[in-house]
Amino acid sequence: MDLSVAVTVLSAVWALSSLSATVATAAYRAQLRPLRPIPAPGRVAVILPVRSPAPQLTAALNALQAQNWPNLRLLVVLESEADPAFAVVRAAASADPRVVPVLAGESSACGQKVHNLLAGLGHLDQDVDIVVFVDADAIPPPDFLRILLRPILVGRTRVSSGYRVLVPEPGPLGALLAAIADHAVATFPRLPSRMILWGGAIGLRRDAAEGLDLSRTWKGALSDDLTLTRRARLAGERMHGVHAALVPTPVCLLRSAEAFRFGVRQLRLLRLHLPLEWGMVGLVSLLPAIAAATVATGHPAALAACLLAFTCLQLRLSLRQRIFSQVLPLAATVPVARAVRLARLLFPLAHLMRLACWLASGFGRRIAWAGIDYEVAGINCVRILARRPPRER
């Protein structure tokens, strides 16, 4: 193919992808709705798996206890009393009877988080209507449960999920770049046909949880959300992505190397569980990088595409800022707004980091997660290679 033709084609693809991403972000914002009254809330059990270090645990517990939901039980599942987090959980339980510590023991043939979740499911009361899975590093706002569970209560779905918004604090560049890259995912519309559940905010109607047979679904699994996504798709379960259920998740402790390892871990898990989606992430990451390189040729089409891509990026960031301002609590909007402002200059660097993470995730089956090293031989076949005891941070 002639170089000029190749540059023109790449430029056209770049321009089209930039426009498509901008339209998608605008559609995400358009689908946000004011919080409306919900039907009579049912009895909800929130399962929170924990393994130290969990620096945001106290804040996460406080946020869950402050939920605007009358019938709530919080099952906090730990490996053992030797976990330093147990003292925090015990103190919370002594002050609030809704908080129930659950000891799961060590996992032997699955991920510790999955093992903890299964232990929590074993402690459900008979009158629980809905089960919610959350993460210990997320700080949900008071109306989080009402937003996440409304589609279930109105009968639109039996499975709903939100997503995180990484909240970087001033300092580490890695936290900032990780947040900028992930914000693009957070504000992309959740299509039911290609829905991917996020383990930090999943709501399941009780009958859906029983129908999906989670003890079998998660047998030998490492990833809770990706394995559950596969099972729900195979079962024909319609999953609903709740655009307003964006949960602030602080990432103040990430340095550049930690941010890179975090990105590689997330994408490697995606490759091992949902390879098609992993390939789509690679395509989205590779095409702009390759097309941007054509600008050096000075070809008019490449220059025009570059200008259009830059303009679309600025528009997307403005839309993203409006989404976050509308959805996030005030305490999270300031650092997130700072990240969006810096993204206007640093987005190419964040994009390159995401591309590097994707390339690195294409190799290997080893995953380091919460102090445990795993090898993923298959979706339901994980081997524990090394285990470090829970420790204080």
Side-chain angles (χ1 to χ4, degrees):
M1 182 183 293
D2 180 77
L3 177 61
S4 178
V5 174
V7 170
T8 301
V9 171
L10 280 172
S11 300
V13 171
W14 188 15
L16 183 60
S17 64
S18 299
L19 285 169
S20 299
T22 306
V23 170
T25 307
Y28 189 107
R29 182 171 185 263
Q31 292 176 24
L32 292 176
R33 299 286 186 272
L35 185 62
R36 297 187 296 272
I38 60 174
R43 181 81 184 276
V44 168
V46 176
I47 301 179
L48 175 67
V50 177
R51 193 177 198 269
S52 290
Q56 281 92 36
L57 178 58
T58 299
L61 287 171
N62 290 339
L64 290 169
Q65 290 171 267
Q67 288 299 301
N68 185 15
W69 197 275
N71 303 308
L72 177 66
R73 191 172 189 231
L74 177 57
L75 302 172
V76 187
V77 191
L78 305 98
E79 187 176 302
S80 70
E81 293 184 8
D83 190 324
F86 181 73
V88 177
V89 177
R90 183 171 53 188
S94 64
D96 187 343
R98 297 176 303 168
V99 179
V100 181
V102 176
L103 300 179
E106 288 188 356
S107 61
S108 59
C110 66
Q112 185 65 47
K113 181 182 179 183
V114 166
H115 184 70
N116 286 11
L117 288 172
L118 289 172
L121 288 170
H123 283 75
L124 294 182
D125 292 335
Q126 291 297 319
D127 60 348
V128 167
D129 301 306
I130 300 174
V131 183
V132 176
F133 304 131
V134 295
D135 280 351
D137 58 352
I139 316 297
D143 283 322
F144 161 70
L145 288 178
R146 287 182 173 268
I147 295 170
L148 176 69
L149 300 181
R150 190 178 195 283
I152 295 177
L153 292 172
V154 300
R156 189 179 304 169
T157 185
R158 300 195 304 170
V159 184
S160 63
S161 181
Y163 195 71
R164 64 176 172 251
V165 175
L166 297 184
V167 182
E169 295 189 3
L173 180 62
L176 179 59
L177 295 180
I180 291 172
D182 204 58
H183 288 172
V185 181
T187 53
F188 195 84
R190 313 288 188 248
L191 303 176
S193 59
R194 303 312 304 174
M195 177 69 187
I196 299 178
L197 301 171
W198 175 60
I202 296 177
L204 283 166
R205 214 168 71 184
R206 181 71 175 266
D207 59 346
E210 293 171 350
L212 292 171
D213 193 359
L214 297 184
S215 61
R216 182 179 178 184
T217 297
W218 282 338
K219 183 179 180 180
L222 175 59
S223 172
D224 56 314
D225 45 13
L226 298 179
T227 307
L228 181 55
T229 296
R230 285 179 58 92
R231 177 70 183 92
R233 287 182 181 180
L234 289 172
E237 189 74 54
R238 181 180 175 84
M239 298 172 282
H240 186 85
V242 185
H243 289 169
L246 295 178
V247 187
T249 305
V251 287
C252 56
L253 301 175
L254 283 178
R255 299 185 183 277
S256 296
E258 291 175 316
F260 180 76
R261 287 194 293 269
F262 169 78
V264 172
R265 186 190 79 194
Q266 298 298 101
L267 289 170
R268 184 170 291 159
L269 284 169
L270 186 64
R271 173 177 67 85
L272 295 172
H273 292 83
L274 299 172
L276 177 60
E277 282 74 5
W278 176 81
M280 293 173 64
V281 171
L283 184 65
V284 169
S285 302
L286 279 169
L287 279 178
I290 295 173
T294 63
V295 174
T297 66
H299 194 286
L303 295 174
C306 181
L307 178 60
L308 178 62
F310 179 79
T311 303
C312 286
L313 170 62
Q314 301 306 314
L315 179 56
R316 285 200 303 278
L317 290 172
S318 296
L319 289 168
R320 204 164 289 157
Q321 178 57 54
R322 291 173 186 172
I323 292 169
F324 293 151
S325 297
Q326 183 175 343
V327 171
L328 297 180
L330 185 60
T333 55
V334 174
V336 169
R338 172 182 173 273
V340 173
R341 287 196 302 271
L342 292 173
R344 297 186 184 277
L345 297 175
L346 296 178
F347 185 82
L349 187 58
H351 186 87
L352 288 175
M353 188 187 76
R354 181 172 62 186
L355 176 58
C357 290
W358 181 82
L359 292 171
S361 72
F363 306 92
R365 290 179 169 272
R366 295 194 174 191
I367 303 288
W369 194 353
I372 304 176
D373 297 334
Y374 303 94
E375 184 175 52
V376 183
I379 294 169
N380 291 97
C381 184
V382 64
R383 186 163 65 96
I384 298 176
L385 304 176
R387 178 189 293 273
R388 292 168 289 283
R391 59 181 177 82
E392 292 184 3
R393 188 148 192 166

